[in-house]
Amino acid sequence: MPPRSVLRDTAFLRLWAGTTASGLATWALPFVLGLAVLHRDLGAAGLGLVLAARTAGFLVAVAVGGVLADRHSRRTVVLWSALAAAVAAPLLAAGLGRSLVLMTAAAALAGAGQGACRPAFQALTAETVAPDRRQQANAAMTMAVRSSTLAGPALTALLAAFLDIGTLLLGIGLLWLIAALVPAKVTTTTTTDPATDPAPRAGFRAEFLEGIREARRHPWFLAGLAALVAVIALGYSATSVALPLISRDRYDTQWVLAAAMTAYTVGALAGALVIARWRPRSQGWAAFAGLAAYGFAPLSLMLPVHPLVVVAAYAVAGVGIELFNVPWFTATQREVAPDKLARVSSLDFLVSYGLAPLGLALMAPAIDTFGVTTVLGACAAACFLVPAAAALTPTARHFARPAPTTTD
């Protein structure tokens, strides 16, 4: 008898709703701040400073949140971190057009709340859902994230016709309140209560390093991080800089930019639907092949092809990225020690989000120095070759350590 659908599990649906609310809030905030620039409530330099503060808060908190989520209740970490992000929203509204210092501090708080939530949500999924339904659950989670990338800005643009910027910021705070309060409490034994555990705890640094040691026990995980670095810091950064330029200069329209980004998100949604039920026999190899498919995006921008080819390449890249993400998250939840899961997940988010700004900062100077075609070609090659090399790592074929052999 097949396992009951995860979509019929009330506890998971509440967790999914909280994750969706946090995703909508995350993607809506930069759009609302962009509207503030258009309305002259915030300058371009101020926007850059506020977004940078948000990123810095995220990167610091994602490491701290990983340790806290393994040390305490994951549900409690989600509650307080989402509440912190909720408090940041009215502070942003209060500083709008009045105090850039207040807005910068509030943006750092919002980023910290978002960052601390991520590893806690990841570990909470493993606590809420039985192992045989986690791939379906992770597919549903990633669909929520991808839907947010479409719905967040679109819904914000619609509401902006009727509401002012301050009210929109308060609405983002309301979404974070939903993320804080809706997920259900989960009874678990993966963490210990300091009040009942007489053994003294290691310090924060020691516990974070313990998470790194746990990650090193899984060669497939380290190989996956290396492949993510190549795709995010090189491939994604190159296309983020080059696509607007090529859309303008080669095709003389912004339609290609909008269509390609939409195709990427729609492709990702399709990939999540496929991987929710598909169980490849060599899931690691299939996942790395999906990740390598992002190389088609920079490759399509190198060549003077019809714009529909670019759109199709982005759709393929979107499908591929979820064929990697969902098995990757599921394997991490299955293979990593439960009491270290949040810390190992935080390493994933640190790499994914931490290196993206560096890649973006270096990509424009590289294009100016070597030319857009050369840079896109090098980044496409990295997207294809690094995941292929990662797939050769021991344990990468199945995203699992080999079962111990027994002798008579």
Side-chain angles (χ1 to χ4, degrees), residues 8-342:
R8 298 174 64 185
D9 186 327
T10 302
F12 172 74
L13 288 177
R14 291 179 63 176
L15 179 62
W16 181 88
T19 304
T20 302
S22 70
L24 286 170
T26 296
W27 287 100
L29 181 57
F31 192 83
V32 171
L33 294 175
L35 291 176
V37 174
L38 293 179
H39 293 179
R40 302 186 185 280
D41 293 321
L42 182 66
L47 174 63
L49 181 62
V50 169
L51 292 179
R54 181 194 187 210
T55 301
F58 176 92
L59 293 176
V60 171
V62 75
V64 175
V67 173
L68 292 177
D70 281 339
R71 181 181 286 187
H72 305 291
S73 161
R74 277 82 185 254
R75 178 65 187 87
T76 300
V77 173
V78 166
L79 172 65
W80 289 106
S81 55
L83 285 177
V87 169
L91 294 177
L92 282 166
L96 187 66
R98 301 181 184 88
S99 172
L100 183 58
V101 172
L102 177 59
M103 290 194 71
T104 302
L109 180 61
Q114 177 195 346
C117 269
R118 292 303 296 270
F121 268 130
Q122 183 75 359
L124 201 54
T125 301
E127 291 182 0
T128 304
V129 180
D132 61 343
R133 294 188 295 161
R134 284 179 188 163
Q135 184 153 324
Q136 187 184 37
N138 286 316
M141 286 295 195
T142 196
M143 287 181 66
V145 172
R146 297 301 177 184
S147 299
S148 297
T149 65
L150 288 175
L155 181 61
T156 303
L158 177 64
L159 293 175
F162 306 98
L163 304 174
D164 59 31
I165 304 300
T167 303
L168 291 174
L169 288 171
L170 294 178
I172 291 174
L174 178 61
L175 287 172
W176 278 114
L177 276 178
I178 294 173
L181 301 176
V182 166
K185 293 182 178 180
V186 179
T187 302
T188 178
T189 58
T190 58
T191 56
T192 56
D193 184 355
T196 61
D197 183 8
R201 284 195 174 275
F204 170 84
R205 179 176 178 274
E207 291 201 7
F208 184 75
L209 292 176
E210 187 179 14
I212 295 177
R213 286 193 293 272
E214 172 64 21
R216 292 174 60 185
R217 292 181 55 243
H218 307 279
W220 61 268
F221 184 83
L222 298 181
L225 285 183
L228 281 171
V229 169
V231 171
I232 294 174
L234 296 177
Y236 183 80
S237 296
T239 54
S240 295
V241 174
L243 178 60
L245 299 176
I246 290 173
S247 181
R248 181 195 66 193
D249 299 338
R250 180 186 298 167
Y251 300 108
D252 193 28
T253 177
Q254 296 301 308
W255 173 85
V256 177
L257 170 63
M261 296 308 299
T262 302
Y264 178 78
T265 302
V266 172
L269 288 170
L273 284 173
V274 169
I275 201 62
R277 295 192 176 275
W278 182 41
R279 301 294 188 273
R281 297 182 66 178
S282 300
Q283 66 167 343
W285 285 359
F288 280 124
L291 186 61
Y294 192 88
F296 289 110
L299 186 64
S300 71
L301 298 178
M302 289 177 58
L303 307 173
V305 296
H306 192 279
L308 289 180
V309 175
V310 176
V311 175
Y314 268 81
V316 170
V319 171
I321 205 69
E322 293 309 333
L323 296 184
F324 173 83
N325 278 341
V326 174
W328 169 260
F329 292 144
T330 305
T332 302
Q333 292 162 351
R334 181 186 67 243
E335 298 294 318
V336 171
D339 62 327
K340 301 178 181 67
L341 176 57

